[in-house]
mmCIF file of all heavy atoms in Angstrom:
data_model
loop_
_atom_site.group_PDB
_atom_site.id
_atom_site.type_symbol
_atom_site.label_atom_id
_atom_site.label_comp_id
_atom_site.label_asym_id
_atom_site.label_seq_id
_atom_site.Cartn_x
_atom_site.Cartn_y
_atom_site.Cartn_z
ATOM 1 N N ASN A 117 -5.893 13.831 -27.397
ATOM 2 C CA ASN A 117 -7.080 13.829 -28.195
ATOM 3 C C ASN A 117 -8.204 14.483 -27.397
ATOM 4 O O ASN A 117 -8.179 14.427 -26.184
ATOM 5 C CB ASN A 117 -7.429 12.447 -28.717
ATOM 6 C CG ASN A 117 -7.728 11.496 -27.608
ATOM 7 O OD1 ASN A 117 -8.773 11.595 -27.000
ATOM 8 N ND2 ASN A 117 -6.771 10.570 -27.305
ATOM 9 N N GLU A 153 -9.084 15.564 -9.639
ATOM 10 C CA GLU A 153 -10.344 14.890 -9.049
ATOM 11 C C GLU A 153 -10.003 13.425 -8.668
ATOM 12 O O GLU A 153 -10.657 12.922 -7.743
ATOM 13 C CB GLU A 153 -11.509 14.895 -10.033
ATOM 14 C CG GLU A 153 -12.253 16.221 -10.053
ATOM 15 C CD GLU A 153 -13.626 15.980 -10.613
ATOM 16 O OE1 GLU A 153 -13.819 15.122 -11.450
ATOM 17 O OE2 GLU A 153 -14.439 16.831 -10.318
ATOM 18 N N ALA A 164 -5.549 9.548 -14.358
ATOM 19 C CA ALA A 164 -5.927 10.636 -13.470
ATOM 20 C C ALA A 164 -6.905 11.529 -14.204
ATOM 21 O O ALA A 164 -6.954 11.528 -15.469
ATOM 22 C CB ALA A 164 -4.730 11.468 -13.128
ATOM 23 N N ARG A 165 -7.759 12.195 -13.435
ATOM 24 C CA ARG A 165 -8.753 13.141 -14.040
ATOM 25 C C ARG A 165 -8.493 14.559 -13.439
ATOM 26 O O ARG A 165 -8.408 14.696 -12.241
ATOM 27 C CB ARG A 165 -10.131 12.714 -13.730
ATOM 28 C CG ARG A 165 -11.253 13.521 -14.362
ATOM 29 C CD ARG A 165 -12.647 12.932 -14.280
ATOM 30 N NE ARG A 165 -13.022 12.811 -12.858
ATOM 31 C CZ ARG A 165 -13.404 11.652 -12.271
ATOM 32 N NH1 ARG A 165 -13.431 10.521 -12.976
ATOM 33 N NH2 ARG A 165 -13.796 11.686 -10.999
ATOM 34 N N LEU A 166 -8.324 15.507 -14.327
ATOM 35 C CA LEU A 166 -8.088 16.864 -13.903
ATOM 36 C C LEU A 166 -9.240 17.770 -14.482
ATOM 37 O O LEU A 166 -9.544 17.645 -15.667
ATOM 38 C CB LEU A 166 -6.758 17.307 -14.497
ATOM 39 C CG LEU A 166 -6.314 18.807 -14.222
ATOM 40 C CD1 LEU A 166 -6.005 18.940 -12.774
ATOM 41 C CD2 LEU A 166 -5.185 19.153 -15.094
ATOM 42 N N VAL A 167 -9.821 18.605 -13.608
ATOM 43 C CA VAL A 167 -10.830 19.506 -14.055
ATOM 44 C C VAL A 167 -10.238 20.932 -14.147
ATOM 45 O O VAL A 167 -9.614 21.327 -13.155
ATOM 46 C CB VAL A 167 -12.078 19.505 -13.136
ATOM 47 C CG1 VAL A 167 -13.067 20.587 -13.546
ATOM 48 C CG2 VAL A 167 -12.693 18.131 -13.044
ATOM 49 N N GLU A 168 -10.339 21.548 -15.330
ATOM 50 C CA GLU A 168 -9.791 22.872 -15.502
ATOM 51 C C GLU A 168 -10.920 23.863 -15.870
ATOM 52 O O GLU A 168 -11.721 23.482 -16.741
ATOM 53 C CB GLU A 168 -8.744 22.913 -16.626
ATOM 54 C CG GLU A 168 -7.540 22.029 -16.341
ATOM 55 C CD GLU A 168 -6.565 22.086 -17.526
ATOM 56 O OE1 GLU A 168 -6.748 21.397 -18.525
ATOM 57 O OE2 GLU A 168 -5.576 22.851 -17.469
ATOM 58 N N THR A 169 -10.883 24.971 -15.312
ATOM 59 C CA THR A 169 -11.898 25.983 -15.700
ATOM 60 C C THR A 169 -11.115 27.227 -16.053
ATOM 61 O O THR A 169 -10.082 27.577 -15.467
ATOM 62 C CB THR A 169 -12.921 26.349 -14.550
ATOM 63 O OG1 THR A 169 -12.207 26.659 -13.371
ATOM 64 C CG2 THR A 169 -13.698 25.070 -14.166
ATOM 65 N N ASP A 175 -13.497 25.427 -20.460
ATOM 66 C CA ASP A 175 -13.495 24.517 -19.342
ATOM 67 C C ASP A 175 -13.210 23.129 -19.914
ATOM 68 O O ASP A 175 -13.719 22.798 -20.957
ATOM 69 C CB ASP A 175 -14.784 24.542 -18.535
ATOM 70 C CG ASP A 175 -15.081 25.913 -17.927
ATOM 71 O OD1 ASP A 175 -14.145 26.703 -17.737
ATOM 72 O OD2 ASP A 175 -16.244 26.136 -17.653
ATOM 73 N N PHE A 176 -12.429 22.299 -19.196
ATOM 74 C CA PHE A 176 -12.073 20.999 -19.620
ATOM 75 C C PHE A 176 -12.136 20.022 -18.460
ATOM 76 O O PHE A 176 -11.849 20.319 -17.317
ATOM 77 C CB PHE A 176 -10.670 20.983 -20.178
ATOM 78 C CG PHE A 176 -10.421 21.837 -21.337
ATOM 79 C CD1 PHE A 176 -9.948 23.150 -21.204
ATOM 80 C CD2 PHE A 176 -10.633 21.308 -22.593
ATOM 81 C CE1 PHE A 176 -9.716 23.943 -22.282
ATOM 82 C CE2 PHE A 176 -10.404 22.128 -23.715
ATOM 83 C CZ PHE A 176 -9.926 23.468 -23.544
ATOM 84 N N VAL A 177 -12.416 18.747 -18.793
ATOM 85 C CA VAL A 177 -12.143 17.650 -17.959
ATOM 86 C C VAL A 177 -11.179 16.772 -18.771
ATOM 87 O O VAL A 177 -11.425 16.223 -19.792
ATOM 88 C CB VAL A 177 -13.398 16.822 -17.641
ATOM 89 C CG1 VAL A 177 -13.038 15.599 -16.773
ATOM 90 C CG2 VAL A 177 -14.484 17.645 -16.910
ATOM 91 N N ASP A 178 -9.935 16.757 -18.218
ATOM 92 C CA ASP A 178 -8.812 16.054 -18.809
ATOM 93 C C ASP A 178 -8.625 14.666 -18.221
ATOM 94 O O ASP A 178 -8.639 14.563 -16.981
ATOM 95 C CB ASP A 178 -7.500 16.813 -18.708
ATOM 96 C CG ASP A 178 -7.583 18.141 -19.426
ATOM 97 O OD1 ASP A 178 -8.167 18.302 -20.474
ATOM 98 O OD2 ASP A 178 -7.017 19.114 -18.787
ATOM 99 N N PHE A 179 -8.391 13.672 -19.044
ATOM 100 C CA PHE A 179 -8.125 12.314 -18.593
ATOM 101 C C PHE A 179 -6.687 12.018 -19.009
ATOM 102 O O PHE A 179 -6.364 12.012 -20.171
ATOM 103 C CB PHE A 179 -9.030 11.325 -19.190
ATOM 104 C CG PHE A 179 -10.495 11.503 -18.735
ATOM 105 C CD1 PHE A 179 -11.397 12.354 -19.528
ATOM 106 C CD2 PHE A 179 -11.012 10.888 -17.654
ATOM 107 C CE1 PHE A 179 -12.632 12.554 -19.139
ATOM 108 C CE2 PHE A 179 -12.258 11.132 -17.222
ATOM 109 C CZ PHE A 179 -13.164 11.894 -17.957
ATOM 110 N N PHE A 180 -5.882 11.818 -18.022
ATOM 111 C CA PHE A 180 -4.377 11.525 -18.245
ATOM 112 C C PHE A 180 -4.171 10.087 -18.015
ATOM 113 O O PHE A 180 -4.672 9.436 -17.050
ATOM 114 C CB PHE A 180 -3.540 12.284 -17.265
ATOM 115 C CG PHE A 180 -3.492 13.798 -17.538
ATOM 116 C CD1 PHE A 180 -4.484 14.578 -17.060
ATOM 117 C CD2 PHE A 180 -2.537 14.346 -18.335
ATOM 118 C CE1 PHE A 180 -4.504 15.932 -17.245
ATOM 119 C CE2 PHE A 180 -2.504 15.702 -18.583
ATOM 120 C CZ PHE A 180 -3.450 16.531 -18.068
#
Side-chain angles (χ1 to χ4, degrees):
N117 61 73
E153 278 200 335
R165 185 172 61 238
L166 178 72
V167 175
E168 296 179 283
T169 57
D175 299 337
F176 298 92
V177 176
D178 298 318
F179 296 90
F180 290 85

